[in-house]
Amino acid sequence: MVKGRTGQRVRLYVRGTILGYKRSKSNQYETTSLVQIEGVNTKEDVAWYAGKRMAYIYKAKTKSSETRYRCIWGKVTRPHGNSGVVRAKFKSNLPPDSMGRKVRVFMYPSSI
Amino acid sequence: MAPSSKLSQGIKKASRSHAYHRRGLWAIKAKHGGAFPKAEKPAAVAEPKYYPADDVKPRKASTRKPKPTKLRSSISPGTVLIVLAGRFMGKRVVFLKQLKSGLLLVTGPFKINGVPIRRVNQTYVIATSTKVDISGVNVEKFDDKYFAREKKKKATKTEGELFDTEKEATKDLPQFKKDDQKAVDAELIKAIDAVPDLKTYLGARFSLRDGDKPHEMVF
């Protein structure tokens, strides 16, 4: 994706799945999305990820800045429930067709 | 009862001449050559032409000074850091010192993994517990000004040359920067060679694999 990125591909992000929007039974709040991060299964584990940046990457038909890939940046805000699901806010709300798709959870801003 | 200075309301006991003598103004006059000293009136301020419509308090300049960036306790000179983003993401790199701006001064070393002497932000870095002996390296000369961008000189161009701007953008590293790199790295590489496997470790890039959980990893 990045021009000139030859050689080793390194993954410095954790994969996550977008589950949908924050919602109750019949109301949804699109400003906050829910994300399931791989390997994170409890509320305590989420603490490490709080504040970490995330990127939702998608393809579009037209090229903008030489590439067809586009990105919406966001960050992990807080845990959602007890089982490791995470709430996330993005710069602009995620589109509904992002549900079920992947998001990249980066390891920065790092505090280790 | 002490003698009062009033006989009745508005009538003083001492006569005018008696009071004058008592006050001693004659002595002050004598001291100043016969005339009572007059205080100089301050020069009358010319009436300003315009008055502000509202009474506005002048804004005070802020006296706030930002604190120097705190260096994480896990980072000390010689620590191996993992760069998390940017051109060198995943590279393991040696920390040299923290600059005044708060950024970390870091080097590959260049021969080992291609990372030059560079600045990196603390939040984009994971500190590992591996340390390199950095005592032989002199990093005094590096500061933020060393990394400042060179100002482009705007030469006036003829019409034909106006469209040749692309050709000017070559960024040749000045020789002194290459020499600085070699000087810093020479000492470092000696220290690195002394430790078994450290060279290959620094040459390898960090990557997450399937099943890796960063929140459970100890770096």
Side-chain angles (χ1 to χ4, degrees), chain A residues 83-100:
Chain A
S83 308
V85 175
V86 130
R87 292 193 199 177
K89 272 182 126 22
F90 286 81
K91 186 114 184 277
S92 59
N93 297 346
L94 288 185
D97 53 14
S98 65
M99 291 201 232

Side-chain angles (χ1 to χ4, degrees), chain B residues 75-84 88-96 104-110 112-121 124-128 130-132 134 181 188 192 198 201-206:
Chain B
I75 302 179
S76 63
T79 313
V80 173
L81 308 172
I82 301 176
V83 177
L84 293 174
F88 300 105
M89 70 166 133
K91 299 263 188 188
R92 294 177 169 103
V93 124
V94 179
F95 169 65
L96 298 174
L104 310 181
L105 184 73
V106 128
T107 181
F110 188 71
I112 297 183
N113 54 21
V115 181
I117 301 180
R118 203 167 195 269
R119 296 183 297 175
V120 130
N121 190 316
Y124 293 92
V125 133
I126 289 184
T128 63
T130 314
K131 297 222 192 303
V132 174
I134 211 181
Q181 180 76 57
L188 262 183
I192 290 169
L198 189 54
Y201 175 69
L202 288 175
R205 283 169 98 163
F206 173 82

Side-chain angles (χ1 to χ4, degrees), chain A residues 8-103:
Chain A
Q8 268 191 319
R9 304 271 161 151
V10 287
R11 177 164 70 88
L12 284 160
Y13 56 86
V14 186
R15 290 182 284 242
T17 315
I18 301 176
L19 301 175
Y21 301 123
K22 172 174 161 216
R23 58 174 302 170
S24 55
K25 177 159 161 241
S26 10
N27 290 334
Q28 72 181 13
Y29 305 96
E30 304 90 355
T31 56
T32 308
S33 291
L34 303 177
V35 171
Q36 171 78 267
I37 306 178
E38 267 185 29
V40 180
N41 296 315
T42 59
K43 198 162 67 168
E44 291 72 32
D45 291 344
V46 174
W48 190 91
Y49 292 90
K52 299 281 184 284
R53 308 261 283 151
M54 314 166 94
Y56 168 65
I57 296 165
Y58 59 104
K59 280 207 272 200
K61 186 169 176 212
T62 58
K63 278 197 179 190
S64 67
S65 317
E66 309 168 354
T67 177
R68 288 189 211 278
Y69 287 95
R70 298 192 194 165
C71 170
I72 305 180
W73 283 96
K75 48 168 99 164
V76 173
T77 52
R78 49 176 286 192
H80 181 81
N82 294 323
S83 308
V85 175
V86 130
R87 292 193 199 177
K89 272 182 126 22
F90 286 81
K91 186 114 184 277
S92 59
N93 297 346
L94 288 185
D97 53 14
S98 65
M99 291 201 232
R101 290 185 48 182
K102 293 287 178 203
V103 92

